[in-house]
């Protein structure tokens, strides 16, 4: 939530910062702003709305500067408005800051500063940082930042500039991500790697309360006792192209289409060599008597699917918990519990809190993460990486699919280690997983029928998703995908639950999307389909074991044959495309749905 970027070097900072903000816009898009330093002082531009509004403003009110900071906002305190946009300046216009996070004690700090005659102009928590920094400033920005950091409670990633020390940018963070990019033409601070990829793949990952002093040709790190720190410069393997749309209208469609390759890469890393395989091979599953999977949103849905794979294969209880609930529930876990954290960003605040709670209780933690160097990746005992590359669309697709295959592989390998499946069975299951990229590629060549059907669905006020067993788990992801990008109300139900309440919502021309990849339960889901059709519903039936015949109430999308346990990797492709085309037909801003942000770094 919120993206920040800073640049200092020998080029005009304005276009560099605007380009960086474009790559960070997925983190928040209520408003955007930029502040640069030049010989006249700070030049600031801020605009409510999308980044394009800021660009248009700068076009008509040009500014230049050799160093600057920019911000794209997801509002927490104070409505989206020009005045609440970042950067924020102290009242003497000496210090400018951009902030991602929440300052929990901002009211107390604000009151103290107001008592000393300082006037605030915005309703944000962030302005207190700029005002406090200016209040403390004694000619030494490092000293000032340390005092500010010691006064703040909450979470923050900060970019700070002082007019009196124009040769440097300061970066510091706690519980929100920040990287430092290093290049020939200058140096960067940023919330995320895609913001700097066009300039460099050399980055430092900042840890909590480490302070980076960034000049045009150097970067130095200190702790809050002002002691110098040695950090390792890391090489990012993501390419600059991977953060571009590549000719697609939306990142979401591009990311859906990338899935065969991503599945292949992720499967290879876990089965054929590489760090994922080493970690999976080294895990001693026999020491655990329970697995807890905890995550948010789609990553939680991946955990729900995984439960239906782990339990029958490993015969080990698997609990799946929303991270936002797990963190407060006093979970019954100990050193014999394996807690699996699933997160694309590795920065989701609730998942981080759940991870820390699990560690506090002595559980062993394993994360499945996409972003290298992220907080969850760094703090868990073991990390498996999904090799999905940068995922820009707010609605996750390729990272979710990569999470699924890693979870399947873990389940199969654990089952073998526990002696629950024979070596030939293990081989057969892994071969079934290895066949998924080819099947997904086949499905992605047949998008026409999904697109055509979706074009008839834009008028629905509500759409239900049903399935049984593992099909129910993936129905949850289908429902989430639809609601987040198409704004159509949607719920997912286990088919058997319909008659316990939900069926009262079914009326003439309600749409029900039913999933059927569990052949042994086909008759069950089919009778749910008949029940809703006989009450007037239309049904989109998606599966690979459907025996019904299409008619005016029933449309069918056939999936390739697959082992039931791994079939969600196929049904989810249709569900993603269905949501995408419904939203596209509604003309919505698919990559940046309203009120959402890609990386939910606040509670
Ligand atoms: C998925 O489409 C959503 N954007 C959202 O539910 C997401 O999965 C959730 O916020 C978790 O994010 P994470 O994977 O980065 O932790």
């Amino acid at each position: 939530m919120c993206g920040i970027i800073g640049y200092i070097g020998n080029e005009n900072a304005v276009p560099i910062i605007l380009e960086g903000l474009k790559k960070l816009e997925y983190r928040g898009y209520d408003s955007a702003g930029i502040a640069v330093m030049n010989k006249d002082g700070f030049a600031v531009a801020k605009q409510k709305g999308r980044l394009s509004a800021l660009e248009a403003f700068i076009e008509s009110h040009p500014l230049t500067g050799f160093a600057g900071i920019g911000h794209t906002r997801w509002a927490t305190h104070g409505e989206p408005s020009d005045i609440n946009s970042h950067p924020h300046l102290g009242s003497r216009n000496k210090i400018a800051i951009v902030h991602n996070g929440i300052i929990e004690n901002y009211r107390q700090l604000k009151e103290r500063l107001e008592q000393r005659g300082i006037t605030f102009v915005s309703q944000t928590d962030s302005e207190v940082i700029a005002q406090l920094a200016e209040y403390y400033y004694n000619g030494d920005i490092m000293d000032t930042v340390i005092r500010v950091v010691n006064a703040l409670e909450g979470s923050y990633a900060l970019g700070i500039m002082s007019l009196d020390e124009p040769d440097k940018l300061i970066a510091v963070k706690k519980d929100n991500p920040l990287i430092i990019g290093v290049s020939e033409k200058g140096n960067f601070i940023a919330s995320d790697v895609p913001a700097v990829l066009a300039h460099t793949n050399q980055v430092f990952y900042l840890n909590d309360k480490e302070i980076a002093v960034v000049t045009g040709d150097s970067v130095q790190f200190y702790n809050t006792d002002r002691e110098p720190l040695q950090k390792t410069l890391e090489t990012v393997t993501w390419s600059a192209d991977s953060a571009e749309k590549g000719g697609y209208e939306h990142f979401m469609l591009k990311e859906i289409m990338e899935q065969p390759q991503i599945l292949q890469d992720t499967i290879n890393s876990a089965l054929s060599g590489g760090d994922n395989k080493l970690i999976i091979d080294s895990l001693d599953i026999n020491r655990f008597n329970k697995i807890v999977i905890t995550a948010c949103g789609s990553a939680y849905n991946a955990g729900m699917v995984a439960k239906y794979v782990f339990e029958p294969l490993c015969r080990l209880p698997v609990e799946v918990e929303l991270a936002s609930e797990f963190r407060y529930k006093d979970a019954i876990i100990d050193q014999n519990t394996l807690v699996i954290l699933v997160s694309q960003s590795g920065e989701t605040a609730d998942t981080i809190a759940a991870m820390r709670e699990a560690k506090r209780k002595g559980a062993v933690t394993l994360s499945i993460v996409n972003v290298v160097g992220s907080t969850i990746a760094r703090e868990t005992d073991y990390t498996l990486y999904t090799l999905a590359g940068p995922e820009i669309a707010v609605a996750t697709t390729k990272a979710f699919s990569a999470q699924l295959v890693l979870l399947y592989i873990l389940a199969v390998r654990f089952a073998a280690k526990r002696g629950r499946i024979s070596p030939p069975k293990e081989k057969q299951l892994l071969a079934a997983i290895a066949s998924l990229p080819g099947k997904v590629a086949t499905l992605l060549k047949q998008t026409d029928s999904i697109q055509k059907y979706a074009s008839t669905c834009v008028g629905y006020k509500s759409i239900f998703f049903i399935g049984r067993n593992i099909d129910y788990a993936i129905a949850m992801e289908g429902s989430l995908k639809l609601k987040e990008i198409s704004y159509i109300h949607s719920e997912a139900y286990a088919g058997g639950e319909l008659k316990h309440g939900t069926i009262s919502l079914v009326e003439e021309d309600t749409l029900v999307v039913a999933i059927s990849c569990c052949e042994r339960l086909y008759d069950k889901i089919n009778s749910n389909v008949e029940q809703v059709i006989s009450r007037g519903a239309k049904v989109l039936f998606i599966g690979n074991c459907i025996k019904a015949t299409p008619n005016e109430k029933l449309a069918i999308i056939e999936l390739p044959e697959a082992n039931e346990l791994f079939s969600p990797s196929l049904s989810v492709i249709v569900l993603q495309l269905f949501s995408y085309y419904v939203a596209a037909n509604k003309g919505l801003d698919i990559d940046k749905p309203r009120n959402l942000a890609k990386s939910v770094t606040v509670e």
Side-chain angles (χ1 to χ4, degrees):
M1 308 212 133
C2 300
I4 70 180
I5 172 133
Y7 167 75
I8 183 162
N10 44 29
E11 296 193 10
N12 179 13
V14 176
I16 292 176
I17 290 171
L18 285 175
E19 274 309 306
L21 286 178
K22 273 188 202 158
K23 299 292 183 313
L24 293 172
E25 214 185 355
Y26 68 88
R27 300 178 71 88
Y29 31 86
D30 293 335
S31 62
I34 177 170
V36 287
M37 282 191 280
N38 56 41
K39 60 181 174 29
D40 301 321
F42 285 133
V44 182
K46 310 205 248 189
Q47 285 291 297
K48 178 184 167 182
R50 296 291 161 94
L51 185 60
S52 50
L54 179 70
E55 286 181 303
F57 180 81
I58 289 176
E59 186 95 23
S60 53
H61 304 75
L63 57 157
T64 55
F66 49 85
I69 49 181
H71 187 271
T72 176
R73 180 170 185 242
W74 189 89
T76 57
H77 296 65
E79 57 170 9
S81 67
D82 293 356
I83 204 81
N84 286 336
S85 309
H86 300 220
H88 289 288
L89 273 61
S91 31
R92 285 184 286 126
N93 289 340
K94 288 287 203 179
I95 288 183
I97 68 104
V98 282
H99 170 222
N100 168 30
I102 290 182
I103 302 306
E104 287 161 5
N105 61 337
Y106 86 99
R107 275 204 184 84
Q108 298 93 299
L109 293 171
K110 188 173 174 177
E111 266 168 35
R112 269 171 41 198
L113 291 167
E114 281 175 335
Q115 280 159 13
R116 286 162 176 78
I118 292 166
T119 308
F120 282 70
V121 293
S122 78
Q123 291 88 51
T124 65
D125 56 333
S126 308
E127 188 187 348
V128 81
I129 304 166
Q131 300 287 14
L132 196 62
E134 223 178 58
Y135 178 73
Y136 283 150
Y137 189 67
N138 58 359
D140 181 344
I141 189 66
M142 262 286 283
D143 190 49
T144 304
V145 169
I146 291 169
R147 289 185 73 188
V148 169
V149 161
N150 287 338
L152 297 179
E153 287 168 19
S155 60
Y156 49 82
L158 293 171
I160 303 169
M161 296 192 296
S162 164
L163 261 195
D164 290 344
E165 295 174 64
D167 58 333
K168 56 186 78 128
L169 299 180
I170 307 287
V172 63
K173 63 150 274 194
K174 178 177 162 275
D175 293 341
N176 272 319
L178 211 49
I179 58 137
I180 311 296
V182 176
S183 86
E184 299 269 293
K185 66 175 174 199
N187 295 324
F188 302 82
I189 63 176
S191 295
D192 203 354
V193 165
V196 302
L197 268 183
H199 309 286
T200 183
N201 64 355
Q202 302 293 300
V203 303
F204 292 102
Y205 294 97
L206 214 55
N207 291 319
D208 281 358
K209 296 209 175 178
E210 289 178 347
I211 301 169
V213 180
V214 183
T215 71
D217 56 9
S218 72
V219 186
Q220 286 164 319
F221 299 96
Y222 300 89
N223 62 20
T224 50
D225 291 325
R226 237 187 148 135
E227 293 162 341
L229 301 171
Q230 294 307 318
K231 290 184 70 74
T232 312
L233 192 60
E234 315 242 1
T235 301
V236 175
T237 54
W238 292 354
S239 72
D241 287 352
S242 60
E244 302 290 341
K245 276 192 199 151
Y248 287 94
E249 198 177 345
H250 298 103
F251 276 109
M252 183 176 174
L253 188 58
K254 178 194 174 220
E255 289 164 1
I256 289 172
M257 293 300 172
E258 285 173 347
Q259 290 179 104
Q261 189 58 52
I262 278 150
L263 292 187
Q264 192 64 64
D265 293 347
T266 305
I267 292 167
N268 287 349
S269 76
L271 293 182
S272 312
D275 291 348
N276 283 343
K277 180 172 180 344
L278 289 178
I279 288 168
I280 295 169
D281 288 351
S282 73
L283 273 166
D284 176 16
I285 186 63
N286 289 306
R287 62 178 281 200
F288 303 114
N289 55 26
K290 180 166 89 168
I291 294 176
V292 175
I293 303 176
T294 182
C296 300
S298 292
Y300 168 82
N301 293 340
M304 286 297 293
V305 171
K307 177 180 168 73
Y308 287 99
V309 184
F310 273 87
E311 286 191 335
L313 288 179
C314 303
R315 303 309 300 163
L316 194 62
V318 176
E319 294 168 11
V320 189
E321 300 272 4
L322 292 165
S324 53
E325 293 295 318
F326 178 87
R327 61 186 292 188
Y328 295 118
K329 71 168 261 192
D330 193 11
I332 304 171
I333 54 171
D334 57 22
Q335 67 279 9
N336 298 317
T337 315
L338 176 65
V339 175
I340 302 179
L341 294 308
V342 186
S343 175
Q344 185 284 130
S345 63
E347 298 293 349
T348 300
D350 285 321
T351 313
I352 291 174
M355 167 189 72
R356 290 180 181 158
E357 174 66 1
K359 292 186 82 157
R360 194 183 67 78
K361 291 200 158 182
V364 175
T365 53
L366 165 74
S367 59
I368 295 182
V369 172
N370 194 42
V371 177
V372 175
S374 56
T375 304
I376 293 173
R378 280 183 286 120
E379 290 189 24
T380 40
D381 299 314
Y382 303 93
T383 301
L384 301 177
Y385 282 110
T386 48
L387 302 187
E391 191 178 61
I392 310 292
V394 165
T396 182
T397 52
K398 60 178 183 173
F400 175 83
S401 289
Q403 288 162 358
L404 284 188
V405 293
L406 279 183
L407 286 161
Y408 301 156
I409 291 168
L410 263 186
V412 173
R413 297 286 293 115
F414 282 1
K417 287 186 189 191
R418 284 171 58 79
R420 293 287 169 177
I421 55 172
S422 65
K425 182 72 181 169
E426 180 189 12
K427 209 170 153 197
Q428 184 205 336
L429 291 170
L430 293 178
I433 296 170
S435 73
L436 289 171
K439 291 177 180 175
V440 169
T442 307
L443 261 178
L444 288 172
K445 286 190 191 116
Q446 305 158 6
T447 58
D448 290 2
S449 55
I450 305 166
Q451 187 169 5
K452 197 166 158 212
Y453 189 82
S455 69
T456 68
C457 298
V458 292
Y460 287 110
K461 292 269 175 292
S462 193
I463 298 179
F464 296 100
F465 288 75
I466 59 169
R468 291 196 170 237
N469 197 265
I470 202 164
D471 291 330
Y472 164 51
I474 203 64
M476 294 170 66
E477 175 61 6
S479 169
L480 176 61
K481 213 84 303 170
L482 182 81
K483 71 182 86 155
E484 71 178 325
I485 60 167
S486 76
Y487 313 150
I488 294 176
H489 169 257
S490 158
E491 303 288 341
Y493 285 97
E497 274 295 293
L498 275 177
K499 59 186 172 297
H500 298 291
T502 316
I503 204 161
S504 68
L505 296 171
V506 172
E507 52 189 0
E508 200 58 33
D509 285 345
T510 301
L511 180 62
V512 177
V513 178
I515 299 153
S516 179
C517 292
C518 301
E519 195 159 11
R520 66 203 162 89
L521 295 173
Y522 173 72
D523 289 341
K524 305 290 174 196
I525 191 74
N526 189 48
S527 72
N528 295 137
V529 164
E530 286 176 6
Q531 284 158 11
V532 296
I533 288 180
S534 66
R535 284 157 180 84
K538 283 189 174 168
V539 172
L540 171 61
F541 213 175
I542 301 167
N544 54 16
C545 55
I546 299 169
K547 299 177 193 106
T549 315
N551 57 49
E552 55 161 18
K553 287 281 191 186
L554 181 69
I556 294 175
I557 293 178
E558 288 281 351
L559 297 177
E561 163 287 321
N563 184 310
E564 167 187 315
L565 296 175
F566 315 130
S567 63
S569 291
L570 304 182
S571 36
V572 80
I573 302 296
V574 176
L575 297 168
Q576 293 167 352
L577 286 166
F578 175 69
S579 299
Y580 173 81
Y581 286 121
V582 170
N585 275 290
K586 290 181 81 172
L588 297 173
D589 191 350
I590 292 176
D591 289 335
K592 301 184 198 79
R594 69 183 177 209
N595 303 335
L596 294 175
K598 179 79 180 159
S599 188
V600 185
T601 55
V602 295
E603 190 178 355

